[in-house]
Structures are given as structure tokens and as C-alpha cells.
Amino acid sequence: MAKLGDIAKVLRSKNSGPFEITLDCLFDNRESYERLKRSNAITRETIARLYQIRVDQVHQLVFYDQALGFKVTIAREVSSGSAGDRDVYGAQQHAPLMNLDVAMKEEGP
Amino acid sequence: MSQDVNILSPCGMLGYGFPEESFRRGMEQQVHAVVVDAGSTDGGPHKLGAGVSIVSRRACKKDLEIILGACLPGKVPVIIGSAGGSGARPHVEWTLDIIEEILREKQMSAKIAVIWADFTQEAVLDALGQGKIVPMSPNIPQLTEQTIRETASIVGQMGHEPVLKALEAGSEIIVCGRAYDPSPFAAVGIFHGKDPGLSYHLGKILECGALCAEPATTKDCILGTIGDDYFTVRALNDRRACTPISVAAHTFYEKDHPYLLHGPGFLLDLENCRFTEQGPGIVRVSGSRYIPQDKTFIKLEGARLTAYRTFVIAGIRDPILLGKLEDVENAVIAQTKQYYPEIDEQDYRIRFYNYGMNAVLGEREFEPFRGHEVGVLFEVVAKTQELASSICATARSTFLHYGYEGRKSTAGNLAFPFAPSDIEFGPVYEFSIYHLMECRADGFPIEIRQGGVQDGEAG
């Protein structure tokens, strides 16, 4: 098992507009990216658990092969900069995803 | 085959600054326009609500002096997107005032196009009545008449169409109110007959400055070149380079989907784009698809004043208090409320943010607290500034002297870094409108004026 934060080259969060936060995870080699994609570690259910939200609050989860990365977009509980918001730019909400354990070793045939 | 079109983006935000050397290297090419984005909603609703900018006037002027000084003598158009940060009237006027000052200092004159992006409450109410407004995402409430009436400042994101008109009119400086970030860039490619898909995709990359290069930054220049069925991007500083991965990865940035972008009147599909290396540090991109939509929806942004805030920052080092911090904070809230039975509890709210413990993630924090010191920020938001400050002062003194179970440090619970400890923040806003409105693409008024030193004026 490895932490997603240890194997990704970029793992970041940022507002996608004031009502959503988008999480980007990018790799620097195709092998790690493909293994992660095949591991099925990244699902809407996993994201909902890490961020303590409902599955329907995960608005997008898309892999993009050209960029060796995936993107997850989730609903904000409090819109950016409103009273009660903790992170106006949404720039420090990636830590739960970083902490995700993923199985990167694959069983031989 | 038409001539290649070069677009220079100095930086990701007007006023962030850029190395002059990079800019000069870019200007050595035959540049068709210098385009710079000045806007963002990332900093929250306050700028739109209060009519203030995100960068300082000094920084904005410093960048514009370099850009205008280099572009105006050679008739290279300068386009500013989402002027002043939020692109509403006060932000556009703030930008125009800076431009006017520079032109007069340099004894120059320029034809300036101003494209306004403000929408009146009446126009939005009218569209609402006709069923032409939908929320941007499922977690945004449906717009109501009351919300619109409470929202003093409303802008819409223009597409490339009004910018194109301003270019056709021969404008030397184009100051756009709120714009879809890539649109002022895309307008240049489209003006010169280039493919709108390539023009928009390049715009999406250029609007962030050198963020698509490695090492990435918004504070450096990037040059985009549009050919007939491809475009290229390259950094203008030897310290950074674009790679196929860095450019492909940039399409992820700050949007909800990695390869589908909804713009005013179109969908941009980047799923089957090809990113290849054309030369050292130069990336060639092809396959960006512009798919026109039946209806044009523009994004409306509006900010409403919701409350006033007063806050306190204090440090806590006592290990006994740290062991029961959240219980003590809840007790402080309860005691403060008890002290003001005459005030409706709905009129104010007290919140604690325990930095070092869980202030950033709140209930999502998964690490147990292991520290020896916590920075506490507590705020009161209330209907009036006077109420926020009064409640905050009571909460502060209650917290400072609160006698929790097992307390040994009976002289005080908080280390204030400053005197006075209570800071009046002023009004707090929220994005009360973040909706799509069906609208004509040319619904943004263009005003053309001559700026700087006028004919016959003494130098």
C-alpha cells in the first residue's frame, strides 16, 4: 500500500467557481497513472467517505489520459468567502485525498 | 494558409508582476496583441460586493506602464480581461483611471474601448420571470426575486463577441468588464480568422500566465501562436519550459471537468487533443473542438452583503486548556448568549477556528491533535458592526477569564499578539448569484473614447 500523496506528482485543490472545489491528481509517469487507474481506488464512494459528503455531492470524477491525471469536483458546504467558510481559495482541501491508501502492486497472472 | 497569430500573455493576473526581460523577448516576435486577465472569483465575493480590487493600484500601474509603453508606439492592441478583479463598473473605472494617469505621464494618447459587463436588477428580474435563469451547479439555490433585490452588484461574463467588435473598431486598448477568462484571448485569434476551438483552448492556457510551464508560475510571460490547425505555447524565460504533459495538465486548472469547458454559447471539447513537442520548450496542440450551442448562456455573478464581522486572534499554550479547548469554546458561546438575553440569537453567530488543531479541514480533519500550542481565531458575524463588536468583546473577555475545570493558570487563558485584540473587519458578502442566464452574446455595451493627451492639449 502507498499513500496517494506519495506517488502523485501534483495533488492539489482549488475552487472551481465559488460553489465547488476541484481536486487534481497528476502523475509524472504513465505506469503509475495506469496502475492507479486500474486499481479502482478512486471512486465516487471513496471521495464521499474522505470528504464526509453524499455521493451525489461528488459532481465530477474524470480520468484524462493525455495529462496522466484525474480530477474530482465536489460541492462546497459553504460558498467561497461567505461567513463560515474555512478556505476561501479552496487551496488546502487536498489533504484527505493525499492520505488515501492505494494498492499499487499488482498480482501476477 | 493564413499568417500565424502571436498572442503574448504577460502574467496570470494584471498586477501580479512579471520579469521585464521575458516580456521584451515576447515583444521581439511579431505580436498581434498583448492580452492580460485581471479577474478572478477565487478571492471570494468581497471584491465584487465592496467594489475593490484584488491587487494594489501601485502594482497594477507598474504592470500597465510596461505593457502600454511597449505596445502603444507599435500599435499592438492591449486587451484587459475582467478589469479590476471583478469587472463591475467601479473596477473598470479604477483601471481606466490608472490607464489615463499613465497616458498623461507618458504624453501619449490612445483609442480606448470600454466594454461594460454590469447587469441591473431589473434585467435579471426580467430574465428570471421569463424562466431564463438556472443555477450553475446542483448545490446552488434557485434564484428568487428577493435575492436579486438584495444583490447590489451583478456582472455577467462576456464572450469574445464584444471584444471582437472592439478590435474591428481599431481600438488600441480594450478594457473589458467581467469576461469569461479565455474570451479576450480567443477574440484575437478569431479576429485574425483562426479556428475558434484553437483560439479558446489557447486562451484557457494563456489566461494563467506561465502556469502551464515548468516550473509553473502566474508571474511570468507566455507566448501563444495560432496556426491553421494547431497552436503552440512557449515560455519566454530560460528558467522554464513547456512540456506536453505540463500543457495538457494545465487544462485541469480551476474548472470542474478536465476536458469539457462550457463557455458563453459553446462547449469546448478537448478530449481528443494531441500535445506534442515541436521544439525545445515549445508545445504544439491540435484537436481542440469548438461546438456551438443552440442558446447562449452567460454566467452571472452577484454579491450580497450578509453581515458584519469582528474577530480576534489569540494563542493558547496551556496544556490543560488545550486538552478541553472545544468544550471551553462551547461554554464561552453559551455564556455570551446568556449575557444578552435581550438580543435575538439569530442576529449573530460566534465561530471558533483552532489553527494547529482542525481550522482548515473542520470535521474532515483526520489527524488527532498532537501539538503544544494552538492559534485561535474567533469571529462574530452580526446584523450590524456595533452588534458584532459588542458580542465579540463579551466573548473575548469571557474566554480570557473562563474558569474551566482543573484550571491552574487563573490569570488568563489567551495570549493576544496585538493590542487592541478585537479587529473590526467590516461587511461580509456572499455570492448570492452564480447562475446561468440566457442572453444575447452582444448584450454588453461598448463605449469608445480617446484617452490620454488630446489633440491641441498643451504637453
Side-chain angles (χ1 to χ4, degrees), chain B residues 149-433:
Chain B
R149 293 210 185 278
E150 289 171 358
T151 304
S153 193
I154 307 172
V155 291
Q157 292 190 359
M158 69 183 75
H160 63 275
E161 294 86 352
V163 188
L164 189 58
K165 271 198 180 155
L167 281 168
E168 286 164 357
S171 313
E172 296 171 273
I173 303 173
I174 302 173
V175 181
C176 307
R178 186 67 171 130
Y180 176 53
D181 292 347
S183 292
F185 297 86
V188 178
I190 294 168
F191 176 65
H192 288 283
K194 297 299 181 185
D195 176 74
L198 296 171
S199 299
Y200 261 103
H201 189 183
L202 178 61
K204 172 65 197 163
I205 294 170
L206 294 186
E207 59 112 341
C208 294
L211 210 56
C212 66
E214 280 183 4
T217 178
T218 53
K219 296 176 181 240
D220 205 344
C221 310
I222 199 99
L223 184 72
T225 302
I226 315 179
D228 281 336
D229 56 1
Y230 69 94
F231 67 82
T232 61
V233 281
R234 74 175 97 164
L236 293 163
N237 186 330
D238 290 334
R239 289 183 52 243
R240 29 190 132 257
C242 292
T243 71
I245 292 281
S246 75
V247 175
H250 181 69
T251 59
F252 269 67
Y253 195 62
E254 288 184 337
K255 56 201 191 52
D256 69 328
H257 196 284
Y259 52 78
L260 295 178
L261 285 80
H262 294 271
F266 67 89
L267 173 69
L268 191 62
D269 181 356
L270 310 179
E271 184 174 11
N272 298 310
C273 277
R274 284 168 45 81
F275 300 87
T276 53
E277 189 155 19
Q278 172 157 305
I282 303 176
V283 173
R284 177 189 171 109
V285 183
S286 60
S288 324
R289 291 174 60 222
Y290 178 93
I291 306 166
Q293 307 289 287
D294 293 342
K295 294 173 176 171
T296 295
F297 283 93
I298 59 151
K299 197 187 282 183
L300 283 184
E301 297 165 348
R304 152 170 78 181
L305 196 160
T306 57
Y308 294 83
R309 171 186 283 136
T310 299
F311 71 98
V312 175
I313 297 172
I316 297 178
R317 183 60 183 79
D318 184 285
I320 302 167
L321 176 53
L322 288 176
K324 48 181 70 180
L325 183 56
E326 288 177 348
D327 292 341
V328 170
E329 289 169 347
N330 287 331
V332 168
I333 293 174
Q335 219 178 77
T336 305
K337 285 184 174 172
Q338 257 174 28
Y339 182 73
Y340 289 111
E342 70 279 17
I343 299 173
D344 187 342
E345 289 185 11
Q346 302 299 317
D347 288 355
Y348 66 93
R349 177 89 187 259
I350 307 169
R351 290 189 185 85
F352 290 88
Y353 301 84
N354 299 322
Y355 285 92
M357 198 173 265
N358 60 5
V360 175
L361 291 180
E363 291 181 353
R364 289 174 182 164
E365 182 53 66
F366 49 86
E367 292 286 354
F369 176 65
R370 285 188 285 256
H372 60 270
E373 178 176 297
V374 164
V376 179
L377 184 157
F378 54 98
E379 65 163 3
V380 177
V381 290
K383 272 181 136 173
T384 65
Q385 187 69 64
E386 183 279 323
L387 185 59
S389 295
S390 299
I391 303 279
C392 189
T394 302
R396 181 244 310 141
S397 58
T398 305
F399 199 175
L400 177 63
H401 299 297
Y402 188 78
Y404 54 87
E405 181 74 31
R407 184 193 200 206
K408 296 191 182 185
S409 68
T410 53
N413 298 324
L414 302 171
F416 301 113
F418 312 127
S421 56
D422 303 10
I423 304 155
E424 286 197 352
F425 176 94
V428 180
Y429 296 84
E430 71 168 4
F431 278 111
S432 47
I433 301 180

